[in-house]
Amino acid sequence: MEIAIIGAGVIGLATAWRAAARGAVVTLVDPEPGSGASAVAAGMLTPVSEVAYGEERLLALGLASRDRYGAFVAELEEETGLGTGYRADGILEVAFDTDDLRYLDEVRRLQERWGIPTEALTGRECRRLEPMLAPGVRGGLLASEDGSIDPRRLAPALLAAAEKRGVRMVRRRATGVIVEKDVAVGVRLEGGGEVRAERVLLAAGAWSGGLEGVPAEVLPPVRPVKGQVIRLRTAVPFLRRSTRGLVKGSSIYLVPRADGEVVVGATQEEMGFDTRVTAGGLWELLRDARELVPGITELEFAEVSAGLRPGSPDNAPLMGPTALPGLVVGTGHYRNGILLTPVSADILTEVLLDGTVPEVGRPFVPERPKDETA
Ligand code: FAD
Ligand code: GLY
């Protein structure tokens, strides 16, 4: 089976690796592998923190992916000898004031209704877990099975694993999908040239809706949702685990890494394909982060960046065959693409190689009723 994949973010990369491991001949097309949202993401692996009422199937997909993560990373690190910064030491979610605590209580009730074990903590218990938290923090929840990974290490490891399995990396932009007799048969490259294949996977993140040659009704309805993040550095232990906070109604998270990096995120903005970093965005992040963890102001500033999440109409990914034979889509992972990488790669590999959608992926096929993922 010859497969061409447009987009080498975590979704395209992981699928290329998995499909090549099953014997497929895979070509990945991307001018700059791992450069999209995957290069900006914080890398929290938390199925519960960002799902809302009515997103139960998305929660189930997230849980399935989180449960595959340990084995996925072990295999990846063994095949490549590269680290990924994976950790499964839990995520703490805290409330800054009493209104925030009331909201967090609602979240806990919802999680209990969904059968997710949650541990409700007092403010003092939160500070015992994370001594750098502000004295006023009212309470929190510990999602002890969640964790994080460094997406900037995950993507290169996936690329190395894919190339080791024989995947060909074409560092060019795809302008469109080649369609002959109503079948997708390859990818057209910018500046001339093409890649022929029996199956084409469209996994270009927020850019997936802009490929030529694909009928408008088949293009995935994804849109860019901008997120700004700040990267800080510390030489001394700061936070022990990823910590999310609700500060006077606004959400903030801090994701520490073993090498001293602390990622502070993230804004959520409907601004089209705009990746400018703004004073207002950074001010909001620093304001809320300092309320939650006052010592943040002592950390060294390292970087600011903005990425584009591939948002879908119902916040859930679009994965599976399309009405155009030969074309499969794998995008729309929105705020959870890093978390959903292992399960998405498994689903997309089965779709590409066997032509079937595994049970866990059925609610996420591109042509689904509007409320299918609820
Ligand atoms: P991308 O990573 O965007 O990759 C798309 C790739 O396609 C890029 O490499 C690009 O170069 C390529 N491409 C685009 N157009 C073309 C073309 N025409 N031809 C060839 N190649 C092309 N998720 C989590 O699970 N946990 C988190 O904590 C988290 N935090 C986030 C924080 C921020 C600020 C942002 C922005 C995102 C975050 N995410 C998080 C979401 C996650 O980053 C995305 O869902 C995920 O990266 C999507 O992966 P992807 O491979 O579909 O797309
Ligand atoms: N999942 C974290 C973010 O999207 O900002």
Side-chain angles (χ1 to χ4, degrees), residues 6-12 29-45 50 172-175 203-207 211 225-229 253 266-267 306-310 330-340:
I6 303 173
V10 285
I11 301 301
V29 179
D30 193 322
E32 214 181 322
S35 65
S38 306
V40 176
M44 286 173 295
L45 307 177
E50 284 169 358
R172 305 263 298 277
R173 197 177 82 85
T175 54
W207 298 268
L211 274 290
V225 182
K226 178 177 171 179
Q228 303 187 44
V229 294
Y253 56 75
T267 65
L308 301 173
R309 306 174 181 94
T331 186
H333 291 75
Y334 189 39
R335 305 196 73 173
N336 292 303
I338 308 298
L339 165 70
L340 296 176

Side-chain angles (χ1 to χ4, degrees), residues 24-326:
V25 176
V26 184
T27 303
L28 260 169
V29 179
D30 193 322
E32 214 181 322
S35 65
S38 306
V40 176
M44 286 173 295
L45 307 177
T46 177
V48 295
S49 307
E50 284 169 358
V51 286
Y53 285 97
E55 293 180 347
E56 228 165 321
R57 292 191 202 205
L58 181 57
L59 170 76
L61 189 72
L63 291 170
S65 204
R66 188 194 64 190
D67 293 346
R68 291 173 201 208
Y69 237 106
F72 178 85
V73 162
E75 206 178 323
L76 182 62
E77 294 189 346
E78 196 186 320
E79 278 195 24
T80 61
L82 298 172
T84 57
Y86 172 67
R87 42 203 281 190
D89 45 7
I91 289 192
L92 179 65
E93 198 161 4
V94 300
F96 183 72
D97 66 19
T98 37
D99 283 344
D100 296 328
L101 189 59
R102 218 168 287 141
Y103 181 84
L104 210 58
D105 258 353
E106 282 298 312
V107 172
R108 186 179 51 78
R109 267 194 283 277
L110 181 65
Q111 291 178 357
E112 271 172 5
R113 196 175 333 141
W114 283 341
I116 296 168
T118 47
E119 206 180 319
L121 306 169
T122 63
R124 186 172 298 179
E125 286 168 332
C126 290
R127 279 185 295 282
R128 205 171 298 138
L129 287 176
E130 290 296 345
M132 298 304 283
L133 282 173
V137 161
R138 303 280 157 172
L141 294 178
L142 181 64
S144 54
E145 291 173 52
D146 288 359
S148 65
I149 195 163
D150 184 347
R152 289 180 171 182
R153 298 176 74 193
L154 174 64
L158 287 169
L159 178 57
E163 288 187 318
K164 257 187 137 173
R165 292 278 185 177
V167 171
R168 184 167 70 106
M169 183 73 238
V170 174
R171 290 177 190 260
R172 305 263 298 277
R173 197 177 82 85
T175 54
V177 174
I178 304 168
V179 179
E180 287 174 1
K181 296 184 185 147
D182 295 328
V183 176
V185 295
V187 177
R188 211 172 295 288
L189 303 175
E190 191 169 57
E194 57 186 40
V195 175
R196 292 261 156 183
E198 293 161 83
R199 299 268 186 284
V200 176
L201 172 64
L202 179 47
W207 298 268
S208 300
L211 274 290
E212 292 166 12
V214 183
E217 66 280 9
V218 175
L219 279 172
V222 286
R223 68 183 198 288
V225 182
K226 178 177 171 179
Q228 303 187 44
V229 294
I230 302 173
R231 284 177 158 81
L232 305 172
R233 295 206 67 77
T234 172
V236 293
F238 187 67
L239 288 174
R240 295 170 179 161
R241 62 179 66 67
S242 297
T243 302
R244 301 177 59 96
L246 206 54
V247 180
K248 298 173 194 160
S250 53
S251 286
I252 186 85
Y253 56 75
L254 296 97
V255 179
R257 311 223 192 275
D259 66 1
E261 182 176 82
V262 179
V263 184
V264 181
T267 65
Q268 186 146 313
E269 304 162 67
E270 301 279 351
M271 300 283 290
F273 289 93
D274 167 17
T275 50
R276 284 171 310 140
V277 172
T278 63
L282 300 184
W283 176 74
E284 275 176 32
L285 293 176
L286 287 174
R287 178 198 63 196
D288 294 344
R290 193 184 65 161
E291 291 273 35
L292 205 64
V293 189
I296 197 103
T297 51
E298 300 300 321
L299 268 50
E300 185 187 345
F301 169 77
E303 187 194 317
V304 290
S305 50
L308 301 173
R309 306 174 181 94
S312 73
D314 59 7
N315 299 336
L318 301 140
M319 297 188 285
T322 67
L324 178 64

